[in-house]
Amino acid sequence: METYLEGFIQYLKDIKKSSKNTILSYQRDLRKFFAYLQEARICDITKVNQTNLNSYMLYMEKENFAASTVSRNIATLKSYFMYLLKQGVISHDPADQLKAPKIEKKIPGILTVEEVNLLLSQPGGTSNKELRDKAMLELLYATGIRVSELISLTMEDVNLISGYIRVREGSRERVIPLGHAARQALKNYLENAREGMIATEDEPVLFTNCNGQPMSRQGFWKVLKQYAKRAGIETDITPHTLRHSFAAHLVENGADLHSVQEMLGHSDVSTTQIYAKFNNNRIREVYSKAHPRA
Protein backbone atom coordinates (compact mmCIF):
# COMPACT_ATOMS: atom_id res chain seq x y z
CA MET A 1 0.00 0.00 0.00
CA GLU A 2 2.90 2.37 0.73
CA THR A 3 4.58 1.68 -2.63
CA TYR A 4 4.32 5.28 -3.82
CA LEU A 5 4.60 7.01 -0.45
CA GLU A 6 8.36 7.48 -0.56
CA GLY A 7 8.15 9.09 -3.99
CA PHE A 8 5.37 11.37 -2.78
CA ILE A 9 7.44 12.49 0.22
CA GLN A 10 10.37 13.23 -2.07
CA TYR A 11 8.02 15.21 -4.32
CA LEU A 12 6.90 17.30 -1.33
CA LYS A 13 10.53 18.00 -0.40
CA ASP A 14 11.99 18.68 -3.82
CA ILE A 15 9.13 20.12 -5.86
CA LYS A 16 6.61 21.57 -3.39
CA LYS A 17 9.34 22.68 -0.94
CA SER A 18 7.01 21.77 1.93
CA SER A 19 8.10 22.32 5.52
CA LYS A 20 9.22 19.42 7.70
CA ASN A 21 6.07 19.66 9.83
CA THR A 22 3.82 19.58 6.76
CA ILE A 23 5.56 16.47 5.44
CA LEU A 24 5.28 14.68 8.79
CA SER A 25 1.59 15.60 8.93
CA TYR A 26 0.99 14.20 5.43
CA GLN A 27 2.78 10.98 6.37
CA ARG A 28 0.64 10.51 9.48
CA ASP A 29 -2.58 11.20 7.57
CA LEU A 30 -1.72 8.79 4.76
CA ARG A 31 -0.69 5.96 7.08
CA LYS A 32 -4.03 6.25 8.88
CA PHE A 33 -5.77 6.16 5.51
CA PHE A 34 -3.76 3.12 4.42
CA ALA A 35 -4.68 1.33 7.65
CA TYR A 36 -8.35 2.05 6.96
CA LEU A 37 -8.04 0.66 3.42
CA GLN A 38 -6.40 -2.52 4.69
CA GLU A 39 -9.26 -3.01 7.13
CA ALA A 40 -11.57 -2.70 4.14
CA ARG A 41 -9.39 -5.27 2.33
CA ILE A 42 -8.26 -2.80 -0.32
CA CYS A 43 -4.58 -3.46 -0.95
CA ASP A 44 -4.04 -1.61 -4.22
CA ILE A 45 -4.07 2.19 -4.17
CA THR A 46 -4.98 2.26 -7.87
CA LYS A 47 -8.28 0.55 -7.00
CA VAL A 48 -9.41 3.31 -4.63
CA ASN A 49 -12.49 5.11 -5.90
CA GLN A 50 -14.67 8.03 -4.83
CA THR A 51 -16.97 5.74 -2.83
CA ASN A 52 -14.01 4.51 -0.76
CA LEU A 53 -12.98 8.06 0.00
CA ASN A 54 -16.50 9.11 0.95
CA SER A 55 -16.68 6.09 3.26
CA TYR A 56 -13.44 7.21 4.89
CA MET A 57 -14.91 10.67 5.44
CA LEU A 58 -17.97 9.09 7.11
CA TYR A 59 -15.67 6.95 9.25
CA MET A 60 -13.82 10.02 10.51
CA GLU A 61 -17.13 11.74 11.21
CA LYS A 62 -18.39 8.76 13.23
CA GLU A 63 -15.13 8.72 15.16
CA ASN A 64 -15.76 12.36 16.08
CA PHE A 65 -12.69 13.73 14.32
CA ALA A 66 -12.56 17.53 14.53
CA ALA A 67 -13.63 19.39 11.39
CA SER A 68 -10.13 20.84 11.13
CA THR A 69 -8.64 17.32 11.21
CA VAL A 70 -11.02 16.10 8.51
CA SER A 71 -10.22 19.16 6.41
CA ARG A 72 -6.47 18.53 6.74
CA ASN A 73 -6.92 14.87 5.77
CA ILE A 74 -8.86 15.89 2.68
CA ALA A 75 -6.04 18.26 1.70
CA THR A 76 -3.55 15.42 2.19
CA LEU A 77 -5.57 12.98 0.06
CA LYS A 78 -6.10 15.55 -2.69
CA SER A 79 -2.38 16.24 -2.84
CA TYR A 80 -1.49 12.53 -2.82
CA PHE A 81 -3.90 11.46 -5.54
CA MET A 82 -2.97 14.48 -7.67
CA TYR A 83 0.64 13.30 -7.40
CA LEU A 84 -0.37 9.76 -8.45
CA LEU A 85 -2.28 11.20 -11.41
CA LYS A 86 0.72 13.26 -12.54
CA GLN A 87 2.94 10.19 -12.25
CA GLY A 88 0.56 8.17 -14.43
CA VAL A 89 -0.12 5.68 -11.62
CA ILE A 90 -3.88 6.35 -11.85
CA SER A 91 -5.95 7.48 -14.84
CA HIS A 92 -8.44 9.62 -12.92
CA ASP A 93 -8.45 11.41 -9.56
CA PRO A 94 -10.93 9.88 -7.05
CA ALA A 95 -10.36 12.76 -4.61
CA ASP A 96 -11.34 15.44 -7.10
CA GLN A 97 -14.87 15.85 -5.69
CA LEU A 98 -13.93 15.77 -2.00
CA LYS A 99 -15.00 18.91 -0.19
CA ALA A 100 -13.69 20.09 3.15
CA PRO A 101 -16.24 20.65 5.93
CA LYS A 102 -16.97 24.20 6.99
CA ILE A 103 -14.84 25.16 9.96
CA GLU A 104 -16.23 27.73 12.34
CA LYS A 105 -13.55 30.31 12.98
CA LYS A 106 -13.60 30.82 16.71
CA ILE A 107 -11.95 33.80 18.30
CA PRO A 108 -8.81 32.36 19.89
CA GLY A 109 -8.05 32.81 23.57
CA ILE A 110 -5.60 35.60 24.28
CA LEU A 111 -3.90 37.09 27.31
CA THR A 112 -4.37 40.67 28.42
CA VAL A 113 -1.36 42.96 28.21
CA GLU A 114 -1.17 42.81 32.02
CA GLU A 115 -1.11 39.00 31.96
CA VAL A 116 1.60 38.99 29.29
CA ASN A 117 3.73 41.37 31.34
CA LEU A 118 3.23 39.20 34.42
CA LEU A 119 4.18 36.05 32.52
CA LEU A 120 7.28 37.57 30.93
CA SER A 121 8.49 38.87 34.27
CA GLN A 122 8.56 35.41 35.88
CA PRO A 123 11.99 34.23 34.66
CA GLY A 124 13.85 37.00 36.47
CA GLY A 125 16.86 35.08 37.75
CA THR A 126 20.42 35.02 36.46
CA SER A 127 20.85 31.27 35.95
CA ASN A 128 21.52 30.02 32.42
CA LYS A 129 18.09 28.40 32.30
CA GLU A 130 16.19 31.51 33.40
CA LEU A 131 18.09 33.74 30.98
CA ARG A 132 17.26 31.29 28.20
CA ASP A 133 13.60 31.06 29.26
CA LYS A 134 13.32 34.85 29.43
CA ALA A 135 14.72 35.17 25.91
CA MET A 136 12.40 32.49 24.51
CA LEU A 137 9.25 33.98 26.04
CA GLU A 138 10.13 37.54 25.04
CA LEU A 139 10.96 36.40 21.50
CA LEU A 140 7.72 34.44 21.13
CA TYR A 141 5.55 37.39 22.16
CA ALA A 142 7.64 39.97 20.28
CA THR A 143 7.43 38.17 16.94
CA GLY A 144 4.34 35.93 17.05
CA ILE A 145 6.29 33.01 15.58
CA ARG A 146 5.13 29.43 16.07
CA VAL A 147 6.85 27.31 18.72
CA SER A 148 8.15 25.02 15.95
CA GLU A 149 9.77 28.06 14.34
CA LEU A 150 11.14 29.25 17.69
CA ILE A 151 12.97 26.00 18.44
CA SER A 152 14.24 25.79 14.83
CA LEU A 153 15.99 29.17 14.92
CA THR A 154 19.74 29.09 14.37
CA MET A 155 22.41 31.60 15.27
CA GLU A 156 22.47 32.74 11.64
CA ASP A 157 18.77 33.67 11.85
CA VAL A 158 19.38 36.37 14.47
CA ASN A 159 20.60 39.89 13.72
CA LEU A 160 20.73 41.86 16.96
CA ILE A 161 22.47 44.86 15.42
CA SER A 162 19.68 45.48 12.91
CA GLY A 163 17.08 44.05 15.28
CA TYR A 164 15.36 41.25 13.41
CA ILE A 165 15.06 37.48 13.11
CA ARG A 166 14.70 35.42 9.95
CA VAL A 167 12.16 32.58 9.91
CA ARG A 168 12.17 29.85 7.28
CA GLU A 169 9.17 27.68 6.40
CA GLY A 170 9.90 25.32 3.54
CA SER A 171 10.98 27.52 0.63
CA ARG A 172 9.41 30.61 2.16
CA GLU A 173 11.25 33.06 4.36
CA ARG A 174 10.12 36.06 6.36
CA VAL A 175 11.93 38.71 8.37
CA ILE A 176 10.38 39.92 11.64
CA PRO A 177 11.56 42.95 13.63
CA LEU A 178 12.45 42.71 17.31
CA GLY A 179 11.37 45.15 19.99
CA HIS A 180 13.73 46.51 22.64
CA ALA A 181 12.69 44.04 25.37
CA ALA A 182 13.18 41.00 23.14
CA ARG A 183 16.54 42.27 21.84
CA GLN A 184 17.78 42.91 25.36
CA ALA A 185 16.67 39.48 26.64
CA LEU A 186 18.22 37.75 23.64
CA LYS A 187 21.46 39.72 24.00
CA ASN A 188 21.65 38.81 27.69
CA TYR A 189 21.12 35.12 26.89
CA LEU A 190 23.73 35.07 24.13
CA GLU A 191 26.36 36.89 26.17
CA ASN A 192 25.83 35.26 29.57
CA ALA A 193 24.04 31.91 29.23
CA ARG A 194 24.20 30.15 25.87
CA GLU A 195 27.86 29.18 26.09
CA GLY A 196 27.16 27.37 29.36
CA MET A 197 24.25 25.41 27.84
CA ILE A 198 25.43 24.22 24.43
CA ALA A 199 27.22 20.87 24.18
CA THR A 200 29.65 21.93 21.43
CA GLU A 201 30.96 25.31 20.30
CA ASP A 202 29.70 24.79 16.75
CA GLU A 203 26.08 24.14 17.82
CA PRO A 204 23.98 26.06 15.26
CA VAL A 205 20.63 25.95 17.11
CA LEU A 206 19.83 29.12 19.05
CA PHE A 207 18.10 27.51 22.03
CA THR A 208 19.08 24.21 23.65
CA ASN A 209 17.82 22.31 26.66
CA CYS A 210 19.85 21.88 29.83
CA ASN A 211 21.61 18.85 28.30
CA GLY A 212 22.89 20.89 25.36
CA GLN A 213 20.43 19.32 22.90
CA PRO A 214 18.03 21.33 20.69
CA MET A 215 14.91 22.36 22.59
CA SER A 216 11.81 20.27 21.81
CA ARG A 217 8.19 21.42 21.54
CA GLN A 218 7.33 19.41 24.65
CA GLY A 219 10.27 20.92 26.49
CA PHE A 220 9.14 24.46 25.75
CA TRP A 221 5.54 23.58 26.64
CA LYS A 222 6.72 22.58 30.13
CA VAL A 223 8.69 25.82 30.45
CA LEU A 224 5.62 27.88 29.53
CA LYS A 225 3.31 25.98 31.89
CA GLN A 226 5.79 26.43 34.72
CA TYR A 227 5.88 30.22 34.40
CA ALA A 228 2.14 30.55 33.78
CA LYS A 229 1.53 28.70 37.05
CA ARG A 230 4.08 30.86 38.85
CA ALA A 231 2.35 33.99 37.48
CA GLY A 232 -1.04 32.76 38.71
CA ILE A 233 -2.55 32.86 35.22
CA GLU A 234 -5.65 30.67 35.22
CA THR A 235 -6.19 30.81 31.45
CA ASP A 236 -5.40 27.51 29.71
CA ILE A 237 -2.23 28.83 28.12
CA THR A 238 -0.38 27.22 25.19
CA PRO A 239 2.53 28.45 23.05
CA HIS A 240 -0.05 29.52 20.46
CA THR A 241 -1.70 31.75 23.08
CA LEU A 242 1.29 34.10 22.87
CA ARG A 243 1.08 34.05 19.06
CA HIS A 244 -2.61 34.99 19.21
CA SER A 245 -1.92 37.63 21.87
CA PHE A 246 0.85 39.15 19.74
CA ALA A 247 -1.48 39.50 16.75
CA ALA A 248 -4.51 40.70 18.70
CA HIS A 249 -2.54 43.33 20.61
CA LEU A 250 -0.99 44.64 17.38
CA VAL A 251 -4.36 44.96 15.66
CA GLU A 252 -5.93 46.53 18.74
CA ASN A 253 -3.22 49.18 18.72
CA GLY A 254 -3.72 50.07 15.08
CA ALA A 255 -1.52 47.70 13.06
CA ASP A 256 -2.91 46.92 9.60
CA LEU A 257 -3.91 43.35 8.87
CA HIS A 258 -1.54 42.89 5.93
CA SER A 259 1.49 43.72 8.08
CA VAL A 260 0.30 41.31 10.78
CA GLN A 261 -0.36 38.68 8.10
CA GLU A 262 3.20 39.01 6.82
CA MET A 263 4.71 38.68 10.29
CA LEU A 264 2.57 35.66 11.16
CA GLY A 265 3.35 33.98 7.86
CA HIS A 266 -0.29 33.53 6.84
CA SER A 267 -0.65 32.80 3.13
CA ASP A 268 -4.14 34.36 3.05
CA VAL A 269 -5.21 37.54 4.83
CA SER A 270 -8.61 35.95 5.57
CA THR A 271 -6.84 33.84 8.21
CA THR A 272 -5.57 37.01 9.85
CA GLN A 273 -8.96 38.76 9.75
CA ILE A 274 -10.15 36.94 12.85
CA TYR A 275 -7.98 39.29 14.91
CA ALA A 276 -9.99 42.25 13.61
CA LYS A 277 -12.85 41.00 15.81
CA PHE A 278 -10.78 41.89 18.86
CA ASN A 279 -10.45 45.41 17.53
CA ASN A 280 -14.20 45.60 16.85
CA ASN A 281 -14.90 44.47 20.40
CA ARG A 282 -12.55 47.16 21.70
CA ILE A 283 -14.27 49.83 19.60
CA ARG A 284 -17.68 48.78 20.97
CA GLU A 285 -16.30 48.90 24.51
CA VAL A 286 -14.90 52.41 24.03
CA TYR A 287 -18.17 53.55 22.42
CA SER A 288 -20.33 52.18 25.24
CA LYS A 289 -18.20 53.94 27.86
CA ALA A 290 -17.70 57.26 26.06
CA HIS A 291 -20.85 57.99 24.06
CA PRO A 292 -23.35 60.08 26.05
CA ARG A 293 -26.34 58.13 24.73
CA ALA A 294 -24.76 54.66 24.61
Side-chain angles (χ1 to χ4, degrees):
M1 184 58 72
E2 296 191 11
T3 307
Y4 304 101
L5 182 57
E6 186 176 338
F8 176 61
I9 298 305
Q10 206 60 46
Y11 163 77
L12 292 175
K13 290 179 181 177
D14 299 340
I15 307 300
K16 301 292 287 184
K17 305 295 183 184
S18 300
S19 69
K20 182 179 179 181
N21 285 338
T22 297
I23 292 172
L24 289 174
S25 176
Y26 275 30
Q27 283 180 302
R28 285 194 298 268
D29 290 345
L30 287 173
R31 289 207 165 99
K32 287 178 183 177
F33 176 59
F34 295 157
Y36 171 81
L37 291 179
Q38 288 175 341
E39 285 287 327
R41 297 183 179 180
I42 300 174
C43 301
D44 186 347
I45 196 67
T46 65
K47 303 298 182 185
V48 174
N49 56 37
Q50 187 176 338
T51 301
N52 301 139
L53 295 179
N54 287 335
S55 296
Y56 185 54
M57 296 302 109
L58 289 173
Y59 160 76
M60 287 194 288
E61 187 178 319
K62 288 178 181 178
E63 292 295 313
N64 295 317
F65 281 67
S68 57
T69 302
V70 175
S71 182
R72 191 196 67 232
N73 272 266
I74 288 176
T76 297
L77 292 173
K78 279 181 170 290
S79 184
Y80 182 58
F81 281 104
M82 180 60 71
Y83 164 78
L84 295 180
L85 186 65
K86 287 180 178 179
Q87 296 298 310
V89 176
I90 56 178
S91 58
H92 69 282
D93 184 358
D96 183 51
Q97 298 300 316
L98 283 180
K99 293 183 179 180
K102 288 186 178 180
I103 301 174
E104 181 183 352
K105 290 187 177 180
K106 297 180 181 178
I107 297 179
I110 67 165
L111 299 175
T112 64
V113 173
E114 292 75 17
E115 286 175 324
V116 169
N117 288 334
L118 187 59
L119 175 67
L120 299 185
S121 67
Q122 294 312 305
T126 57
S127 67
N128 290 345
K129 181 182 182 302
E130 291 224 0
L131 292 179
R132 179 205 65 187
D133 296 347
K134 174 76 170 176
M136 293 184 82
L137 290 174
E138 288 282 3
L139 194 57
L140 203 63
Y141 177 64
T143 61
I145 59 177
R146 303 172 180 88
V147 65
S148 58
E149 295 170 335
L150 175 72
I151 62 177
S152 298
L153 288 173
T154 67
M155 292 292 290
E156 291 183 351
D157 295 326
V158 179
N159 189 320
L160 281 181
I161 296 176
S162 299
Y164 70 83
I165 61 169
R166 181 176 55 194
V167 177
R168 299 183 184 90
E169 184 184 6
S171 61
R172 292 183 296 177
E173 182 180 291
R174 65 188 194 276
V175 173
I176 309 173
L178 295 174
H180 173 74
R183 287 173 72 175
Q184 189 58 45
L186 196 51
K187 182 174 183 289
N188 200 10
Y189 161 70
L190 291 173
E191 292 180 353
N192 302 305
R194 186 175 182 272
E195 185 178 348
M197 299 195 78
I198 56 178
T200 60
E201 290 185 3
D202 59 350
E203 172 60 59
V205 174
L206 179 61
F207 297 111
T208 67
N209 60 26
C210 295
N211 295 320
Q213 301 300 312
M215 174 72 72
S216 66
R217 293 166 63 96
Q218 293 79 7
F220 180 75
W221 187 288
K222 290 179 182 177
V223 167
L224 181 61
K225 291 287 186 181
Q226 169 196 342
Y227 291 117
K229 183 177 181 180
R230 188 189 294 183
I233 297 174
E234 297 181 359
T235 306
D236 185 19
I237 188 172
T238 71
H240 234 59
T241 305
L242 284 176
R243 178 172 164 85
H244 291 317
S245 301
F246 158 84
H249 294 166
L250 278 178
V251 172
E252 186 176 334
N253 283 286
D256 68 277
L257 285 178
H258 285 285
S259 295
V260 177
Q261 173 198 359
E262 188 174 335
M263 286 184 279
L264 290 175
H266 288 163
S267 57
D268 193 325
V269 74
S270 64
T271 309
T272 318
Q273 283 175 339
I274 192 168
Y275 298 107
K277 294 184 179 180
F278 289 106
N279 201 31
N280 292 337
N281 291 339
R282 174 64 177 160
I283 291 171
R284 282 194 292 269
E285 182 183 336
V286 170
Y287 178 88
S288 65
K289 288 182 178 179
H291 197 281
R293 295 182 69 82

